[in-house]
Amino acid sequence: MKVLGIDPGTAACGYGIVHESDGRLRAIEHGWWTTSARERPELRLKTIFDGVTELIDRHAPDAVAIEESFVGADARTALSVGQARGAVMVACARGGVACAEYSPTHVKQTVCGYGRAEKAQVQKMVRAILGLAEPPSSTHAADALAVAISHALAPPLLKVVAG
């Protein structure tokens, strides 16, 4: 199973693709897109949409896993993240790929064994799980890989419910 994980945001949107086969995981690609706050909002969202569309077209993932928004953020940030999530979901619909959503707590619990793990711990565990030479340089890419790992390791029933 190939999973595209997304850590949504308009300032920085992380992505990571993992491939699971016989219980073994390997990273295929990861990175992040950034947009400027000076750019028009619709153009920022188009950058995310285009990036996700390109990854889906190039890698043909079996699923896309998106990290849910952290509700404790201020309203403006929550709205911005929600818009980024919408751009990702539309790209998935366009590509015919099912989406699943996972809470940050669930992702951290799956990857680190502790639902309130710090970002640095997530980076270290993603590196260890995927056997990377170095941890992802961006916390956005590490979070996206962690979301993809969570989906790849999820029991089949959870994948149906989450999707």
Side-chain angles (χ1 to χ4, degrees):
M1 165 181 274
K2 196 183 299 182
V3 181
L4 167 58
I6 300 287
D7 176 33
T10 51
C13 183
Y15 65 88
I17 302 171
V18 300
H19 185 260
E20 183 274 330
S21 180
D22 297 325
R24 299 185 65 84
L25 293 170
R26 70 178 173 88
I28 295 175
E29 182 179 337
H30 61 277
W32 66 99
W33 304 286
T34 59
T35 64
S36 170
R38 293 185 294 263
E39 194 173 10
R40 293 189 344 241
E42 65 273 20
L43 296 177
R44 296 175 83 185
L45 295 173
K46 184 177 183 312
T47 297
I48 295 164
F49 174 85
D50 290 345
V52 173
T53 297
E54 190 273 331
L55 287 172
I56 290 172
D57 290 347
R58 189 161 39 97
H59 292 284
D62 299 297
V64 175
I66 306 170
E67 189 171 74
E68 292 176 347
S69 300
F70 176 64
V71 182
D74 67 68
R76 181 176 244 163
T77 300
L79 177 61
S80 177
V81 171
Q83 290 172 334
R85 288 166 35 86
V88 170
M89 290 178 171
V90 172
C92 292
R94 178 219 158 266
V97 182
C99 289
E101 298 179 76
Y102 296 93
S103 71
T105 303
H106 174 84
V107 172
K108 291 174 182 179
Q109 179 68 40
T110 300
V111 172
C112 299
Y114 177 59
R116 296 185 187 269
E118 298 292 326
K119 289 203 175 276
Q121 182 65 29
V122 173
Q123 283 180 294
K124 288 177 185 174
M125 290 305 296
V126 163
R127 175 187 180 213
I129 291 167
L130 296 174
L132 301 173
E134 297 290 327
S137 59
S138 158
T139 59
H140 303 291
D143 287 351
L145 285 167
V147 174
I149 290 166
S150 293
H151 186 77
L153 297 178
L157 181 57
L158 180 60
K159 291 177 186 173
V160 172
V161 173

